[in-house]
Amino acid sequence: MSTNALTCTAVSVDFDGFKAVNGVDLTLERGEVHFLIGPNGAGKTTLVDAITGLTKYAGSVVKDGVELRGRKVHHIARRGIGRTFQTAQVFEQLTVAQNLDIAAGAARPALSLLRRRTALPEHVVAVMDQIGLARHAQTPAGILAHGQKQWLEIGMLLVGDADVLLLDEPIAGMGQAERDTTGRLLHDIAQTRAVAVVEHDMDFMRAFASRVTVLHAGAVLATGSVDEVTNDPRVQEVYLGAAHEQETADAATA
Ligand code: ADP
Ligand code: MG
């Protein structure tokens, strides 16, 4: 199988004449944690919405040779494209194990889902380990810590066999230890899949990005390695400028 999992070509989203996404070309490869960064309003979430079928767009999104434009949300999900939202979408009253079991069985007949099962399928147990929640199998998702809920949501995509994961600001609200754990989890997941991460946090990006695409005003401003992108003068101007000036000011007063 080629490493090239998802290709967006000239993707544009128009909201009543306002181009929230404007001619974006983007390729996601298996084996990479690809960061999508850019100021607020740059079009990052709208691009993810387009890829996952939540928003109409012009252009083309192809996964493993299949055109996805015009397909329904559930069809795109079944094709192996999974996404998370800024607030975790888990069943709060159900346990971690039940949440994963349901996500794994999305294709199972409803009756077999209702039947109480004595053992979880092996791959569900493996994912529970991978996301660090094995000890919390019987914990209701509603009382998990914020970070753990995000990991559960990622686990739900994994048991559902998503091999392109689009994660919208997964570390928002996490402490440093949880951020590091999440970064390592993303690299672990990306060994066999394509992972795209929408993120603001530059330290997190520097630590964990294999590749970076910078969006600005709906368009791709730059794409490349962390070094290539952070050294790009256009990127520094529109995105890093404010942070850079602050660091310089801090250094001057230190
Ligand atoms: P980001 O995720 O990069 O912060 P968004 O994709 O959420 O940015 O938004 C991109 C732009 O599109 C913003 O200017 C936003 O206000 C606008 N936008 C997003 N959704 C809609 C919508 N449903 N209708 C009109 N404008 C929208
Ligand atoms: Mg957003």
Side-chain angles (χ1 to χ4, degrees), residues 50-182:
I51 294 169
T52 52
L54 288 173
T55 298
K56 280 201 169 148
Y57 60 95
S60 158
V61 177
V62 172
K63 175 168 190 274
D64 298 324
V66 177
E67 173 64 56
L68 298 180
R69 184 157 72 98
R71 306 280 184 134
K72 296 261 192 309
V73 171
H74 65 265
H75 174 98
I76 293 167
R78 247 191 284 125
R79 282 243 153 235
I81 298 179
R83 64 100 48 100
T84 61
F85 294 85
Q86 284 174 249
T87 39
Q89 313 275 306
V90 298
F91 300 104
E92 305 249 324
Q93 282 82 8
L94 302 183
T95 66
V96 165
Q98 286 169 329
N99 269 280
L100 289 170
D101 200 22
I102 285 173
R108 283 210 313 270
L111 251 184
S112 83
L113 278 175
L114 288 174
R115 227 172 278 142
R116 186 180 283 276
R117 297 204 290 163
T118 49
L120 287 170
E122 240 171 74
H123 77 289
V124 172
V125 175
V127 164
M128 201 150 51
D129 253 346
Q130 187 179 20
I131 60 175
L133 295 182
R135 283 183 306 123
H136 296 285
Q138 303 310 324
T139 304
I143 65 169
L144 292 175
H146 171 79
Q148 292 173 326
K149 272 190 205 175
Q150 288 285 339
W151 301 333
L152 175 57
E153 208 184 6
I154 291 169
M156 290 168 76
L157 300 179
L158 295 178
V159 297
D161 276 342
D163 65 347
V164 173
L165 282 86
L166 309 168
L167 310 176
D168 201 351
E169 303 197 19
I171 63 157
M174 284 187 186
Q176 193 56 49
E178 286 180 314
R179 285 169 186 238
D180 291 342
T181 304
T182 304

Side-chain angles (χ1 to χ4, degrees), residues 10-21:
V11 170
S12 294
V13 177
D14 193 306
F15 292 123
D16 294 324
F18 169 70
K19 288 231 188 256
V21 176

